Amino acid sequence: MYFCIFENRMDTTPIIVNFTTWIKRDKFIEHMLESISNQTVKPSKVICWLSEEEYSKQMPETVKLCLQKGLINDVYWVPGNTKPYKRWETFRKNSDAYNFMIDDDIIYAPDYIEKMLAESALHPGHVIDYYYQAVDLVDGKMVYLENPHPEEKKLFLSGYSCFPPHTFPMEALEHNSIRNKYFSMCDDNWIHSWMLKKHIPLTAIADHNDEGYLNTIEGSQGKDNSIWYLHNANTTFGVSQQYVNTVNILHRIGAVKEGEAIWPQIKVWKYRTRYCFGRNLGSLHDWKYQLLKLTHFLPKPIRQKLRSLE
């Protein structure tokens, strides 16, 4: 229960915080969960979603400790390894709650939940993201915009979401073959594509360029922790690849018109059975990424050398 400052009423809708973790990151969750326990608005429940395949259904010691401390209320096991998508299973059980989808490697400001709920009260029916990232098309590549004019902001790369009751696109829990092909790791982009399809509005409360909006736990972002770091999201190439994959999804799920309404300056066309943004994209950049993904088994010095060639 929390007090809705904008409507002067008590709201009894449950507040559920969902996260997932894995073998190389579970050692950081206690610090993250302590920041959640110190929130000005307390969650009704904190749920940890784990993969049976990753842990052989043996609960990690860090999760046991957090359960004993009361930092976690429930642990649910998901068959197979669906990576970040494990936590989205909460909507099969808890669609009538405010569901916060958080990462396991972030220290959250004490008023994180409060700010998100306040924004939700101002925008009923909207999914609330904590930050947005403005991007644009420059010379056929997607690049980050620094200090964009408000009318030029392209709300796309965003995260740390709050889904008010019954705002989650349930279709996003299906179509796994498309999801795994294009967005096995970037779950936010997959969910946002379905939100476009279902016309679910999205509002963000902070600019990704703002300093100090979130604090990453030191040591949690090792480059070998995830294949994602073979393809860094903070590079022009990385941003471009996300858009290539997103437009593939938009075509596959029939939401191209909705996507073009968000990004009117971008023309979408088919390039060799792949749908791509910009010019020349889908050849060099796309294939380079696919080759880099195949290097994860190589010795670390060789991987680092290959990444430096980007």
Side-chain angles (χ1 to χ4, degrees):
M1 180 182 296
Y2 73 98
F3 187 69
C4 182
I5 60 176
F6 293 99
E7 298 180 13
N8 196 33
R9 64 179 174 84
M10 300 303 293
D11 191 333
T12 58
T13 306
I15 301 168
I16 299 178
V17 171
N18 300 273
F19 77 97
T20 185
T21 192
W22 67 302
I23 294 171
K24 291 190 177 182
R25 285 253 282 263
D26 59 33
K27 62 184 177 182
F28 300 105
I29 65 172
E30 184 178 359
H31 300 296
M32 177 274 290
L33 289 167
E34 286 174 347
S35 73
I36 295 299
S37 70
N38 291 327
Q39 293 291 303
T40 54
V41 173
K42 307 297 183 185
S44 311
K45 184 183 295 187
V46 177
I47 302 178
C48 176
W49 297 84
L50 298 176
S51 163
E52 293 180 357
E53 180 179 307
E54 287 177 304
Y55 288 103
S56 301
K57 216 168 182 179
Q58 299 295 316
M59 191 177 297
E61 293 300 318
T62 50
V63 173
K64 289 181 182 178
L65 176 63
C66 290
L67 276 167
Q68 293 169 359
K69 289 186 172 184
L71 298 175
I72 296 174
N73 300 105
D74 290 316
V75 176
Y76 288 104
W77 292 93
V78 177
N81 180 11
T82 56
K83 299 176 181 176
Y85 293 95
K86 299 186 287 287
R87 58 183 176 165
W88 299 101
E89 292 297 316
T90 191
F91 293 101
R92 299 189 194 275
K93 300 175 176 287
N94 305 303
S95 62
D96 58 349
Y98 286 98
N99 277 283
F100 283 77
M101 315 304 290
I102 66 171
D103 285 358
D104 58 355
D105 59 344
I106 298 291
I107 300 296
Y108 296 88
D111 59 352
Y112 161 67
I113 292 178
E114 181 181 352
K115 281 185 175 180
M116 298 286 275
L117 293 174
E119 194 72 18
S120 179
L122 287 174
H123 302 281
H126 286 224
V127 173
I128 308 300
D129 274 8
Y130 193 77
Y131 72 84
Y132 69 84
Q133 174 63 64
V135 296
D136 204 349
L137 182 67
V138 177
D139 294 330
K141 302 176 183 178
M142 290 294 164
V143 297
Y144 292 139
L145 292 178
E146 297 293 335
N147 303 315
H149 186 277
E151 294 181 358
E152 297 174 343
K153 291 176 181 176
K154 307 300 176 187
L155 182 61
F156 181 72
L157 300 178
S158 47
Y160 312 107
S161 307
C162 169
F163 286 81
H166 307 292
T167 56
F168 181 79
M170 296 301 290
E171 292 85 351
L173 297 179
E174 312 301 334
H175 306 280
N176 292 344
S177 60
I178 300 175
R179 181 196 75 190
N180 295 340
K181 181 175 182 179
Y182 296 112
F183 274 128
S184 62
M185 295 298 295
C186 301
D187 50 338
D188 290 338
N189 300 62
W190 170 254
I191 303 302
H192 290 165
S193 296
W194 278 104
M195 288 171 58
L196 277 175
K197 170 71 172 177
K198 304 299 289 185
H199 302 282
I200 299 171
L202 175 66
T203 297
I205 65 175
D207 188 331
H208 198 181
N209 296 318
D210 293 345
E211 293 185 6
Y213 71 103
L214 293 169
N215 294 303
T216 303
I217 297 174
E218 184 176 357
S220 66
Q221 297 296 313
K223 290 188 176 181
D224 290 320
N225 279 3
S226 169
I227 197 170
W228 172 247
Y229 290 99
L230 293 175
H231 169 52
N232 194 316
N234 293 323
T235 66
T236 299
F237 169 55
V239 177
S240 298
Q241 184 63 41
Q242 288 196 62
Y243 276 81
V244 170
N245 289 352
T246 299
V247 79
N248 269 286
I249 290 174
L250 295 178
H251 275 273
R252 299 281 181 169
I253 68 177
V256 174
K257 290 183 178 179
E258 292 84 349
E260 290 178 337
I262 296 291
W263 312 297
Q265 84 282 22
I266 299 171
K267 293 183 178 179
V268 181
W269 71 90
K270 189 174 182 179
Y271 184 94
R272 291 187 184 176
T273 75
R274 298 294 296 272
Y275 291 93
C276 304
F277 281 114
R279 58 179 183 272
N280 299 326
L281 205 57
S283 52
L284 173 62
H285 292 290
D286 187 40
W287 287 107
K288 186 176 181 180
Y289 171 51
Q290 299 301 327
L291 289 172
L292 281 174
K293 286 205 302 184
L294 298 176
T295 67
H296 67 278
F297 62 88
L298 295 174
K300 186 175 180 180
I302 297 178
R303 295 201 309 273
Q304 290 176 332
K305 179 63 175 178
L306 289 172
R307 284 197 295 268
S308 70
L309 298 178
E310 295 185 36

